[in-house]
Amino acid sequence: MASIRLPGPVLAVAITCAAASAPISEGAAPMPPFQPHVDMKTFMEHVLSPAAVTIWKVNGLVIDEKGEHDLSPKSDEDWEQVLSGAATLAEATNALMIPQRVRDQDWNGYVKKLADAATKACRAAEAHDLKAVSEVSDRLDGICAACHRHYGFE
């Protein structure tokens, strides 16, 4: 019998809690390892869109009574927000590939394009490279629009 060495007590607790929350009755098939917990509309509204907005707004400009305000990141904190959004978007692509979410044979192709763009945005944000994030922002807009047209997302 092989032994597994866990890197720390937090992981051990997470494994214990996960195992305890989903008991498997004798003879029942085990639960699939990944399951969606919200519908696609909720996932897009609360996970994908907020993450993408942090990338899109680097090209933003607000005009009000006080003049024009460039929304591009200017401080380390601003860049951290862009990085957070890009990292969230990149990791969320894994949740898009949960078998119950896959729509058809083209689905994972769209997801891969999204993952690639999000990963590039992460690297650009880490480097504080506004030009690269802006380019990814434009590409991301096209990727999302193409997927929404294909699947009829509003």
Side-chain angles (χ1 to χ4, degrees), residues 97 104-114 143 151:
M97 293 185 286
D104 61 21
Q105 71 277 0
D106 297 327
W107 182 259
N108 286 342
Y110 285 105
V111 174
K112 178 162 181 10
K113 290 176 185 175
L114 180 60
I143 292 166
Y151 294 104

Side-chain angles (χ1 to χ4, degrees), residues 43-56 81-97 110-122 133 136-137 139-141 143-144 148:
F43 187 72
M44 284 195 180
E45 286 176 1
H46 296 282
V47 179
L48 295 179
S49 291
V53 164
T54 64
I55 299 166
W56 284 324
Q81 289 177 359
V82 175
L83 177 58
S84 180
T88 298
L89 191 60
E91 289 298 331
T93 60
N94 290 308
L96 287 171
M97 293 185 286
Y110 285 105
V111 174
K112 178 162 181 10
K113 290 176 185 175
L114 180 60
D116 290 346
T119 300
K120 287 178 183 170
C122 279
V133 174
V136 171
S137 174
R139 189 173 321 128
L140 183 62
D141 188 46
I143 292 166
C144 292
H148 282 233

